[in-house]
Amino acid sequence: MHDNHHLVVVGGGFGGLQLVNDLRGAPVRITLIDKRNHHLFQPLLYQVATTLLATSEIAWPIRNLYRDRPEVTTLLGEVVGVDSANKSVILTSGRSVPYDTLVLATGATHAYFGHDEWAPVAPGLKTLEDATTIRRRVLLAFEQAELEEDPAKRDALLTFTVIGAGPTGVELAGIIAEMAHRTLPGEFRRIDTRKARVVLAEAGPRILPAFTEELSAYAGGELAKLGVEVRTGVPVTDCTHEGVMIGESFVPSRTLVWAAGVQASPAARWLGIEADRAGRAVVEKDLTAPGLPDVFVIGDTASVVWEAGKPVPGIAPAAKQQGAFVARMIRARLESKPAPGPFRYRHQGSLATIGKRAAIIDFGRIKLKGALAWWIWGIAHIYFLIGTRSRFVVAWSWLWIYLSGQHSARLITQKETLREEG
Amino acid sequence: MHDNHHLVVVGGGFGGLQLVNDLRGAPVRITLIDKRNHHLFQPLLYQVATTLLATSEIAWPIRNLYRDRPEVTTLLGEVVGVDSANKSVILTSGRSVPYDTLVLATGATHAYFGHDEWAPVAPGLKTLEDATTIRRRVLLAFEQAELEEDPAKRDALLTFTVIGAGPTGVELAGIIAEMAHRTLPGEFRRIDTRKARVVLAEAGPRILPAFTEELSAYAGGELAKLGVEVRTGVPVTDCTHEGVMIGESFVPSRTLVWAAGVQASPAARWLGIEADRAGRAVVEKDLTAPGLPDVFVIGDTASVVWEAGKPVPGIAPAAKQQGAFVARMIRARLESKPAPGPFRYRHQGSLATIGKRAAIIDFGRIKLKGALAWWIWGIAHIYFLIGTRSRFVVAWSWLWIYLSGQHSARLITQKETLREEG
């Protein structure tokens, strides 16, 4: 290995960026490929979907991050395959990019458990466009309800259903309820937005299953205070433009949001290696692909064992730890030193917010809930936001919302037919 | 006239909002109809198109502005006609909204002088979507140039043409040049963005014809310093995906922006009254439609004589003055007092900026240029931004850009096929 060693990183998410950051000064040329021009701070994406933040507050152009690193080349391109025999990745254009070492950090998207026909009516939340789509639909539902004469149709327009009660589902339901019950009253003349229903549907026995039963129960109580109807233990069996079938009961609801499942990107298929049930590539203990020591898979697209057979969770800190680990691996190889041993995930804690005043945090021994947890959550998220300006802007946005009760990004954009009915 | 007098205002731009604002406390019910849910601060739209500002920094939900005015109902809907015999406006849904007094403030859109086929390749700048479309194309052109192997194609990707050298065209060309020559260098590895060409094409004899020859010449010199190639006196005769025909010479240019002409909304046709060449409704001296004393037309969609046959310009202060005038007219009628006499336009001045450091201002007797003009321009625009928070946020964005040289909203969003070629 020498100065000309070429590392190709696919994916500018938390894992990919941590890797590139940690290789500063290493004798390696890096090509970072992403199909988007921006890194997205996904943990706050739900705040764009619910009008709290603007798109540019949580996204940052990737090539700007490495302007002072001449050895890093950023390419906007979509990878569609890997030719591991010839050591190159294939882009949609047919062009191939050769590598000496490859890291796939291509993330995950939402999964509809074999019901892809639900995707148009129940959008998930992975990209900025997903967030503006959900924002537009939520805001348009209130606008259409204001125009609607038929009471049944008006009620369906004022019913919002979030499917899946992990942290994202709970966060979405909480903010939509707060918007309907606290932000919007007074702005409409024909409807009372306080009568809007927000339904949170969860197939499992309780919300936020990654947390303890006590914290989960607390979060359920806070959601109830915000007026969210939580329905657990019954799976969603159909999603249509008219509403959602929860078990045997149909809920007329014109706005559905999908927060129920994820599917890894097809990295395992590109490499021809085994995938787990969620499509994640099953990797070795050092995060290399089996039989391909020059190929690493990290983040949401890798299946890595944590403890007692439990997989490492698909969260930002896990992806960052894997990126940092692979950076150490690559440095050790470049310097012909021994490898740093198997990857070990250190769980730093689980966080979830319920609306704009409460949160739950599980640090293992220490468990927090309520307003203090909410402030810790807010400070942690501002701290981890990339780019100095974004930190200040988001802090300012939140402070404004906190003090004024006004949301800053209530825009209906993109073209979708304005349906005026009734 | 009594408490139940129903005023319908179509259009929540500068004219429509000024009218509604000035009728606070008047004994009149108001229905404000707009096809968008937000008021747009159009004078700064070019800054969204050029990544300086985020969409939510210059747009504000209309109904939020009137939350404390229970007599004002905001409707999201698109008007497609007026039934002046039955005194009602017709929405796309077929629904009609009856009025006692009607004010049409529906603005203008871009005009291609009979070449509507140019619209897809040379987008104009009137809506937030227009701005994000232009932003996406400008950013994608640099990304595609970085991937391009063919030198001729690369040069075409790095050539940006703005058609029309009024204030918007000058502002767009100036910022694109600054972005290419000052913001982006250092971020690309294969192309030198400082070699990008920005062409500003103007059919008339000089840029910024609304200003004096001296200010226009100064602006031309500032544009030249920024590296903009100004071509005046020759009309654009064709626009394609490959480039633009300026007179007899073809300029290979993959990114075109249209800033050359506007066409009024079809208010004149709805009312069956005379329109001028730009489609603007020719109104009486009191801004009523001829033969329809209960219908007013204001702003960019009205043709009003200013001095010596010159029309009132299509700028925000003119629309606001007309909105204020109609508010006085309606109050006088409601109180059975004499009408306030014919509308008289007071021109407060013309402003245009060239890049991020220079501007020209014509206050009539006082003419300013350079850095001082730029600061006056900036302070005036922040002052007139609607909503306290937007003012602070925009001020902060500009200060950040001024101090750091970084742009805050360099996002490629919305779905458009990523063309990787070569």
Side-chain angles (χ1 to χ4, degrees):
Chain A
M1 285 192 180
H2 52 84
D3 244 31
N4 253 345
H5 190 87
H6 184 213
L7 167 66
V8 172
V9 180
V10 186
F14 289 105
L17 292 195
Q18 186 72 51
L19 168 68
V20 177
N21 292 345
D22 284 9
L23 285 175
R24 181 183 282 270
V28 60
R29 282 188 304 123
I30 301 175
T31 299
L32 174 56
I33 305 173
D34 198 294
K35 61 182 170 180
R36 311 305 300 266
N37 84 324
H38 48 266
H39 170 72
L40 180 62
F41 196 86
Q42 269 185 350
L44 289 178
L45 194 54
Y46 80 95
Q47 297 212 351
V48 173
T50 51
T51 77
L52 294 174
L53 292 177
T55 50
S56 59
E57 288 171 353
I58 62 158
W60 204 253
I62 295 169
R63 66 170 68 257
N64 183 254
L65 301 171
Y66 300 114
R67 55 185 296 139
D68 66 339
R69 300 262 308 265
E71 82 281 14
V72 178
T73 300
T74 306
L75 287 187
L76 180 69
E78 185 166 0
V79 169
V80 290
V82 175
D83 180 353
S84 50
N86 293 306
K87 298 188 71 166
S88 63
V89 298
I90 319 295
L91 304 186
T92 37
S93 58
R95 174 198 298 239
S96 68
V97 180
Y99 63 82
D100 296 310
T101 298
L102 173 65
V103 179
L104 297 175
T106 41
T109 185
H110 19 269
Y112 289 89
F113 310 129
H115 287 282
D116 287 348
E117 72 275 15
W118 296 350
V121 289
L125 186 61
K126 280 286 173 188
T127 67
L128 285 180
E129 285 80 6
D130 290 341
T132 50
T133 295
I134 292 169
R135 181 176 77 185
R136 181 181 63 245
R137 290 192 186 185
V138 169
L139 293 173
L140 270 180
F142 288 107
E143 296 291 342
Q144 288 167 3
E146 177 84 344
L147 288 161
E148 182 59 63
E149 308 286 348
D150 180 330
K153 285 185 182 172
R154 198 190 303 133
D155 289 349
L157 283 164
L158 289 176
T159 303
F160 302 85
T161 305
V162 178
I163 301 150
T168 298
V170 167
E171 284 158 347
L172 282 168
I175 301 284
I176 294 172
E178 279 194 335
M179 180 157 61
H181 301 149
R182 298 188 187 169
T183 307
L184 296 181
E187 298 197 13
F188 292 83
R189 303 289 170 254
R190 303 172 179 196
I191 58 170
D192 182 352
T193 62
R194 285 167 299 191
K195 292 190 179 146
R197 288 174 66 193
V198 180
V199 178
L200 178 61
E202 166 61 46
R206 62 186 176 90
I207 66 167
L208 297 169
F211 290 80
T212 63
E213 291 202 18
E214 193 213 331
L215 290 178
S216 164
Y218 168 80
E222 288 298 306
L223 283 173
K225 276 191 213 164
L226 292 175
V228 175
E229 302 171 31
V230 178
R231 303 217 183 165
T232 53
V234 190
V236 163
T237 53
D238 200 16
C239 296
T240 73
H241 277 290
E242 303 302 321
V244 56
M245 189 70 92
I246 304 177
E248 298 295 306
S249 100
F250 183 73
V251 178
S253 171
R254 295 283 287 273
T255 309
L256 313 181
V257 183
W258 188 261
V262 293
Q263 174 73 27
S265 68
R269 188 159 51 72
W270 296 341
L271 299 172
I273 62 175
E274 191 194 343
D276 71 5
R277 235 165 34 120
R280 291 177 297 196
V282 178
V283 293
E284 304 286 1
K285 288 191 159 98
D286 61 0
L287 306 184
T288 56
L292 297 168
D294 296 323
V295 179
F296 295 86
V297 187
I298 63 174
D300 287 0
T301 200
S303 178
V304 184
V305 175
W306 173 17
E307 54 188 20
K310 250 169 84 178
V312 171
I315 57 177
K320 289 165 96 166
Q321 288 178 29
Q322 294 175 10
F325 174 83
V326 172
R328 288 198 301 278
M329 284 283 291
I330 291 173
R331 278 185 187 272
R333 288 184 183 180
L334 289 169
E335 296 163 10
S336 304
K337 289 185 179 165
F343 171 73
R344 281 212 178 79
Y345 174 60
R346 286 169 295 108
H347 188 65
Q348 294 161 329
S350 303
L351 293 87
T353 55
I354 310 101
K356 289 183 288 191
R357 299 287 190 278
I360 57 176
I361 303 184
D362 184 346
F363 285 133
R365 280 189 217 172
I366 302 169
K367 293 177 185 18
L368 291 171
K369 60 193 182 197
L372 176 65
W374 187 85
W375 281 100
I376 292 175
W377 171 90
I379 291 164
H381 277 74
I382 287 177
Y383 180 78
F384 285 115
L385 263 185
I386 225 163
T388 321
R389 181 175 175 278
S390 272
R391 280 185 205 163
F392 287 123
V393 170
V394 169
W396 167 259
S397 283
W398 286 351
L399 190 65
W400 171 265
I401 291 161
Y402 194 84
L403 297 176
S404 73
Q406 296 301 313
H407 291 195
S408 53
R410 273 173 46 200
L411 301 178
I412 298 176
T413 54
Q414 295 175 302
K415 274 150 205 161
E416 191 168 58
T417 314
L418 169 62
R419 288 174 301 175
E420 284 179 279
E421 287 170 45
Chain B
M1 284 189 177
H2 52 83
D3 245 32
N4 253 345
H5 190 87
H6 185 211
L7 168 66
V8 172
V9 181
V10 186
F14 289 104
L17 292 195
Q18 186 71 50
L19 169 68
V20 177
N21 292 345
D22 284 7
L23 285 175
R24 180 183 284 270
V28 59
R29 283 187 304 123
I30 301 174
T31 299
L32 176 55
I33 305 174
D34 198 293
K35 60 182 171 180
R36 311 305 300 266
N37 83 324
H38 47 269
H39 169 74
L40 179 63
F41 196 86
Q42 268 185 352
L44 289 178
L45 195 54
Y46 79 95
Q47 297 213 349
V48 173
T50 51
T51 77
L52 293 174
L53 292 176
T55 50
S56 59
E57 288 170 353
I58 62 158
W60 205 255
I62 295 168
R63 64 171 68 258
N64 181 255
L65 301 171
Y66 300 113
R67 54 185 297 139
D68 66 340
R69 299 264 306 266
E71 83 283 14
V72 178
T73 301
T74 306
L75 287 187
L76 180 69
E78 186 166 358
V79 169
V80 290
V82 174
D83 180 352
S84 49
N86 292 305
K87 297 188 72 165
S88 62
V89 298
I90 319 294
L91 304 185
T92 38
S93 58
R95 173 197 299 237
S96 67
V97 179
Y99 63 81
D100 295 310
T101 298
L102 172 66
V103 179
L104 297 174
T106 41
T109 184
H110 19 269
Y112 290 89
F113 310 129
H115 287 282
D116 286 350
E117 72 276 15
W118 297 350
V121 290
L125 186 61
K126 278 287 173 188
T127 67
L128 285 180
E129 285 81 5
D130 291 339
T132 50
T133 295
I134 293 169
R135 180 175 78 184
R136 181 180 64 245
R137 290 192 185 185
V138 170
L139 293 173
L140 269 180
F142 289 108
E143 297 291 343
Q144 288 167 4
E146 177 84 345
L147 288 161
E148 182 59 63
E149 308 286 347
D150 179 331
K153 285 185 182 171
R154 198 191 302 132
D155 289 348
L157 283 164
L158 289 177
T159 303
F160 302 85
T161 305
V162 178
I163 301 150
T168 299
V170 167
E171 284 159 348
L172 283 167
I175 301 283
I176 294 172
E178 280 194 335
M179 181 158 61
H181 302 150
R182 297 188 187 169
T183 308
L184 295 181
E187 297 196 13
F188 292 83
R189 303 290 171 253
R190 302 172 181 196
I191 58 170
D192 182 351
T193 62
R194 285 168 297 191
K195 293 191 178 146
R197 287 174 66 194
V198 180
V199 178
L200 178 61
E202 167 60 45
R206 62 184 176 93
I207 66 168
L208 297 168
F211 291 81
T212 63
E213 291 204 18
E214 193 212 329
L215 290 177
S216 164
Y218 168 80
E222 289 297 307
L223 283 173
K225 276 192 213 164
L226 292 175
V228 175
E229 301 170 33
V230 178
R231 303 217 183 165
T232 53
V234 190
V236 163
T237 52
D238 200 16
C239 297
T240 73
H241 277 292
E242 304 302 320
V244 57
M245 188 71 89
I246 303 178
E248 297 296 304
S249 100
F250 183 72
V251 178
S253 171
R254 295 284 287 272
T255 309
L256 312 182
V257 182
W258 189 260
V262 293
Q263 174 74 26
S265 68
R269 189 160 48 74
W270 296 342
L271 299 173
I273 63 174
E274 192 195 342
D276 71 5
R277 233 164 36 116
R280 291 175 298 196
V282 178
V283 293
E284 304 285 1
K285 288 190 159 110
D286 61 359
L287 306 183
T288 55
L292 297 168
D294 296 324
V295 179
F296 296 86
V297 187
I298 63 173
D300 288 0
T301 201
S303 178
V304 185
V305 174
W306 172 17
E307 52 188 23
K310 249 169 87 179
V312 171
I315 57 178
K320 289 164 96 166
Q321 289 177 29
Q322 294 175 12
F325 173 84
V326 172
R328 287 198 302 276
M329 283 283 291
I330 291 173
R331 277 186 188 272
R333 289 185 184 178
L334 289 170
E335 295 164 11
S336 305
K337 289 187 181 163
F343 170 73
R344 282 212 179 80
Y345 173 60
R346 286 172 296 108
H347 188 66
Q348 295 161 330
S350 302
L351 294 87
T353 55
I354 309 102
K356 289 182 289 193
R357 300 285 189 281
I360 58 176
I361 303 183
D362 184 345
F363 285 133
R365 281 191 217 170
I366 302 169
K367 295 179 183 15
L368 292 171
K369 60 193 183 196
L372 175 65
W374 187 84
W375 282 101
I376 291 174
W377 171 91
I379 290 164
H381 278 74
I382 286 176
Y383 180 78
F384 286 115
L385 265 184
I386 224 163
T388 320
R389 181 175 175 278
S390 272
R391 279 185 206 163
F392 287 124
V393 170
V394 169
W396 167 258
S397 283
W398 286 351
L399 190 65
W400 173 264
I401 291 161
Y402 194 85
L403 297 176
S404 73
Q406 297 300 312
H407 291 197
S408 54
R410 273 174 46 201
L411 301 178
I412 298 175
T413 54
Q414 295 174 298
K415 274 151 205 161
E416 190 168 60
T417 313
L418 169 61
R419 288 175 300 175
E420 285 179 280
E421 288 170 43

